[in-house]
Amino acid sequence: MGILKIGIACAGALLAGGAAETVYFYQRTMIRQNANMERTIKMAGTDWSQYSEILAERKAFMLEQPHEDVYQTSFDGLKLHATYFPPIKEWNGKKRVVICFHGYTSQGLADFTGLTDYYFRNGFAMLHPDARAHGQSEGKYIGFGCLDKHDALKWIDWIIEKCGEDVEIILHGISMGASTALMAGGMELAPQVKGIISDCGFTSPKEVFTHVLHTMYHLPSFPVMQGAEIMNRKLAGYGMDECNAKREVTKAKVPILFIHGSKDTFVPTRMCQEIYDCCASPKKMLIVEGAAHGESYFKDMKAYENALDEFIGNL
């Protein structure tokens, strides 16, 4: 009987410990006020200090251009914010807009600071939304693409209303923003959407956080992910694997360009390959050698821009 009591006590302690780990993990990763950009950058392992000069230069140029704040209401009643930049040059009489979806714990005018130079040069207007629970957009719970894909459709509609039915739209996302674009790609998109560019996108919140738990915290995914799944369904309204980019792209109809860094330890390169293999629409892939998470453009600008030129030119 003594052994049984000890066993029951140990089991109770393990369950309590698992519950505590789950709550700790959930609060740090899924709730707006606790999700921290500095912690995310540290976990991702990308050394952004080496690009500080070019980032500062391009940010200054970007903010000198005409732009406006725009707002709309999400399907579940949140006030969403974005920044719109009209084109600074014409492009063969075409109206072209890129919607730029940023990554986890970032905001609209951050992750695309470098790439704005390319889009300005090539006659694009740009829309930079703040994802729900980021920047100036409302929301307590982070959507990880599962909720944000619905917000993406709202921004597409806003662009069409703003620019006209003859506008051509590209969705370009980085990290969580890439997964948002890919998940939107599995939905019924307006015909004005001509292509999707996914830079270091992940398969699903469940799979990427399981990877992080294993590789960075050296913890098993059980019971943390199972507990987080239950909590998130109740609080945020979606399951951690409910939206999986691998499944969503099996329904994709527009061409997709996949970009990933070979040294990405935050979102492993294998996820890019898995999504690519499942993609039903025309597709291309660029793996940038030596690039860490979100670093591909800066690691090899020539290869990245050449891939964009070819992809956009063939749409």
Side-chain angles (χ1 to χ4, degrees):
M1 183 64 70
I3 293 176
L4 179 59
K5 286 182 178 179
I6 292 171
I8 292 172
C10 288
L14 287 171
L15 288 172
E21 286 178 1
T22 297
V23 171
Y24 178 73
F25 168 80
Y26 189 84
Q27 288 181 336
R28 280 169 62 94
T29 58
M30 304 300 293
I31 298 177
R32 178 190 193 123
Q33 62 264 34
N34 299 325
N36 182 278
M37 180 183 289
E38 287 71 25
R39 186 169 66 243
T40 302
I41 292 173
K42 184 177 180 180
M43 290 168 63
T46 307
D47 178 15
W48 291 108
S49 64
Q50 62 187 310
Y51 307 117
S52 58
E53 186 174 337
I54 190 169
L55 283 167
E57 178 184 317
R58 293 192 176 183
K59 181 178 181 180
F61 180 80
M62 173 182 70
L63 294 178
E64 288 172 357
Q65 309 313 309
H67 58 278
E68 62 176 308
D69 293 313
V70 295
Y71 300 89
Q72 64 171 326
T73 303
S74 71
F75 71 94
D76 52 352
L78 299 177
K79 185 178 181 180
L80 303 176
H81 167 265
T83 307
Y84 176 72
F85 289 81
I88 63 174
K89 62 185 294 186
E90 292 187 3
W91 192 264
N92 298 326
K94 289 186 175 182
K95 292 188 287 186
R96 307 199 298 181
V97 181
V98 59
I99 306 179
C100 303
F101 300 100
H102 66 77
Y104 175 59
T105 69
S106 188
Q107 56 184 310
L109 294 182
D111 289 1
F112 283 84
T113 299
L115 276 160
T116 54
D117 178 73
Y118 175 85
Y119 285 119
F120 278 135
R121 283 189 280 113
N122 285 277
F124 278 85
M126 287 178 280
L127 184 72
H128 297 265
D130 289 333
R132 57 174 54 222
H134 291 74
Q136 296 183 50
S137 289
E138 293 181 343
K140 180 177 181 180
Y141 300 103
I142 296 172
F144 282 103
C146 295
L147 299 179
D148 308 279
K149 67 177 184 178
H150 301 288
D151 302 334
L153 298 187
K154 298 276 285 186
W155 289 121
I156 291 167
D157 290 341
W158 186 90
I159 287 293
I160 295 170
E161 184 176 350
K162 171 78 172 179
C163 300
E165 295 287 333
D166 57 341
V167 67
E168 297 180 357
I169 300 172
I170 292 173
L171 311 181
H172 191 157
I174 295 176
S175 193
M176 186 182 78
S179 295
T180 296
L182 292 172
M183 292 176 189
M187 303 174 75
E188 193 66 35
L189 294 175
Q192 287 83 358
V193 179
K194 303 302 182 182
I196 294 171
I197 301 164
S198 167
D199 185 336
C200 62
F202 53 76
T203 49
S204 75
K206 179 181 179 181
E207 291 184 5
V208 76
F209 281 123
T210 296
H211 169 76
V212 168
L213 284 170
H214 288 167
T215 61
M216 299 183 185
Y217 291 98
H218 308 292
L219 292 171
S221 59
F222 179 84
V224 174
M225 291 309 304
Q226 287 74 14
E229 170 82 11
I230 294 169
M231 291 180 67
N232 207 55
R233 281 189 179 278
K234 182 176 180 61
L235 297 173
Y238 70 94
M240 301 288 277
D241 198 48
E242 185 176 307
C243 295
N244 187 309
K246 288 186 294 186
R247 293 196 298 267
E248 298 302 315
V249 296
T250 63
K251 301 174 284 185
K253 297 177 182 178
V254 301
I256 302 177
L257 171 62
F258 295 89
I259 302 173
H260 218 101
S262 69
K263 297 295 185 182
D264 192 335
T265 58
F266 192 45
V267 177
T269 312
R270 63 172 171 78
M271 288 193 179
C272 180
Q273 186 67 57
E274 291 171 7
I275 303 169
Y276 179 87
D277 290 342
C278 292
C279 182
S281 62
K283 56 194 176 183
K284 292 285 186 179
M285 181 164 58
L286 170 67
I287 303 298
V288 178
E289 289 300 319
H293 187 65
E295 189 188 19
S296 291
Y297 177 68
F298 296 93
K299 197 71 173 180
D300 194 340
M301 287 187 185
K302 182 177 180 180
Y304 199 112
E305 292 193 359
N306 285 344
L308 294 185
D309 286 343
E310 180 182 356
F311 179 73
I312 295 170
N314 289 329
L315 295 177

